[in-house]
Amino acid sequence: MRRLATGTLLLALALILGLPFLLSRQIPARFFPGVTIVRVFVHNENKIKTMQLEDYLVGVVAAEMPAEFPLDALKAQAVAARTYIVKRMGSGGAAVANPLHPGADVCDDPRHGQAWLSREDLKNRWGTLRYYDYYYKVKKAVDETKGQVLVYQGEYIDPAYHASCGGRTENSEDVWKYKVPYLRSVPCPYDADPNPVQTASFSLEQVDLALGTKLSAVPVSGTENNAKTFKVIEKTSTGRPKLLLIGDRQFSAVTVRDLLGLRSTSFTWKAEGDFVYFTTTGYGHGVGLCQYGAKGLAEHGYDYRTILGHYYSGAEITDTRN
């Protein structure tokens, strides 16, 4: 399910830089040049591939969302993915300093932006029998939304998305530094994640190694004292941890999730002896489009325009071909 967390997409550098990577300088949409060609750095081939925008988007949607999802969920993903790359390209693309992959507009690593898979990759993932059905279903979602992007007050949005919010999405400022008017917390009644709750265990030594704490060095006599080494200082508007005190150090929940590799910032914990058990709900940062929520909404008869309008408050769909 890693393909869904990317959105993660989009956000690994934002976790480190506090969102400037994700929330790039706003430029009026009318000034964006037409985008038809995308230069993608492909890691397993260690080279840049040039492709048509819509072909690139098929590879992105197929990598980011399971092809068995309803067509309108795939369409919502296609518009979000197109908005991301069109805004990035309009902001300069390869012309912008890109120390990781000079000469490329984007890469295929979801930690740096959006995931992307080639047709050969998709054949390996889906198998020959399902490849043609799935590929043309995803292509249909891209083709039937061709040119469509999301704007807010005439400017392209930063279309954050994630796998599963667990029932309600987060406000942007509760996860990153900035309050964004279209990235508001909204209910997600049909989050269709089949395994929303999961538990991961860590020894205190593993926590120390990941977080740079010294929990294992403190004499501990029982579960109660261990539990006291973890404390929520601040919560988000949805009740998730936002800021924690671990030992004698403060951490954002986003940092804890990132460094420990947890599925979500919606977590609780239980300390037993020299181990800590984290129970997470959902998958991803929780901001913007919830992919399993989109699946659930589509299964309940909502079209992609309604889905996008729900998760990106006040945003509108416009056509770049007009």
Side-chain angles (χ1 to χ4, degrees), residues 145-252:
T145 61
K146 187 172 183 179
Q148 293 180 8
V149 293
L150 289 155
V151 299
Y152 181 83
Q153 295 183 354
E155 298 174 346
Y156 292 107
I157 75 166
D158 289 289
Y161 54 88
H162 60 282
S164 168
C165 68
R168 189 174 186 92
T169 66
E170 289 277 47
N171 290 318
S172 61
E173 67 271 21
D174 282 333
V175 177
W176 306 303
K177 291 183 178 181
Y178 304 104
K179 182 176 181 179
V180 182
Y182 50 81
L183 295 178
R184 300 292 83 207
S185 175
V186 296
C188 187
Y190 303 124
D191 187 338
D193 186 347
N195 299 295
V197 180
Q198 296 194 21
T199 299
S201 63
F202 301 87
S203 68
L204 293 181
E205 289 83 0
Q206 288 175 312
V207 174
D208 287 342
L209 182 63
L211 303 183
T213 51
K214 298 179 180 179
L215 303 182
S216 59
V218 178
V220 174
S221 57
T223 300
E224 182 180 355
N225 286 339
N226 262 355
K228 290 179 180 178
T229 63
F230 291 82
K231 181 180 180 180
V232 175
I233 300 175
E234 185 180 354
K235 292 184 178 181
T236 70
S237 61
T238 66
R240 296 186 182 201
K242 182 176 181 179
L243 186 64
L244 300 98
L245 182 67
I246 302 178
D248 60 357
R249 297 184 58 189
Q250 290 189 10
F251 295 88
S252 71

Side-chain angles (χ1 to χ4, degrees), residues 71-73 75-76 294 297-298 300-309:
L71 183 62
D72 273 287
K75 286 183 177 182
L297 285 170
H300 282 78
Y302 295 94
D303 67 15
Y304 76 99
R305 291 178 176 271
T306 303
I307 292 170
L308 291 169

